[in-house]
Amino acid sequence: MGAFYDEIADLAVEMIEEFGQELTLKRVTEDAYDPATGESTPGVTETQPVKAIVLPASKGTVESFDNRLVDGTLIESNIRALKIAAKGLLWPPGPGCVVEYEGQDWKMLGATPSSPAGTALVYSASIMR
């Protein structure tokens, strides 16, 4: 990462720390197969703290889903948008990850990096409970 992008990444972390909060991101690794023993080892849950700003779902976010109701509940109340600082992450967020928010596990629907020159600075993600 160049000096300019280091500075921008530091600024993103600083702003997110000021206006956001620390959340826990979890993922389960895939099962591992050992051909020598013929046994499979179950995946492990990995966790990492992330600095993020949590935003309510916008009208555009909700309208991008074909079905606005899940089990009779408007999904707007069950979706949040996140801005996650990329600097210092052990692994990138993505579909299948889980975010601990408000004492509950929220499923990550997707995450898109803002990556000028190939350097991720911030991830925009959506989560659903």
Side-chain angles (χ1 to χ4, degrees):
M1 198 182 314
F4 174 73
Y5 291 108
D6 275 337
E7 188 177 318
I8 297 299
D10 288 340
L11 181 60
V13 169
E14 184 180 313
M15 290 177 64
I16 290 173
E17 282 179 339
E18 183 175 344
F19 299 106
Q21 58 189 294
E22 188 168 290
L23 303 173
T24 300
L25 184 65
K26 300 186 281 189
R27 71 175 181 179
V28 177
T29 61
E30 293 185 19
D31 294 350
Y33 176 74
D34 184 350
T37 63
E39 294 183 11
S40 196
T41 306
V44 236
T45 299
E46 299 178 324
T47 62
Q48 72 172 324
V50 296
K51 294 172 180 77
I53 295 173
V54 181
L55 304 165
S58 68
K59 182 179 179 192
T61 303
V62 173
E63 287 179 352
S64 69
F65 292 93
D66 291 332
N67 187 356
R68 291 178 184 83
L69 296 173
V70 174
D71 297 327
T73 303
L74 183 64
I75 64 173
E76 183 176 351
S77 63
N78 294 320
I79 293 180
R80 297 290 181 271
L82 302 178
K83 299 295 181 190
I84 302 170
K87 187 169 184 172
L89 291 180
L90 302 173
W91 34 269
C97 289
V98 172
V99 176
E100 287 181 18
Y101 173 62
E102 294 183 333
Q104 295 180 331
D105 285 346
W106 292 59
K107 180 174 72 169
M108 185 167 288
L109 303 173
T112 305
S114 294
S115 306
T119 302
L121 300 175
V122 174
Y123 286 90
S124 296
S126 295
I127 56 174
M128 180 178 202
R129 81 176 143 176

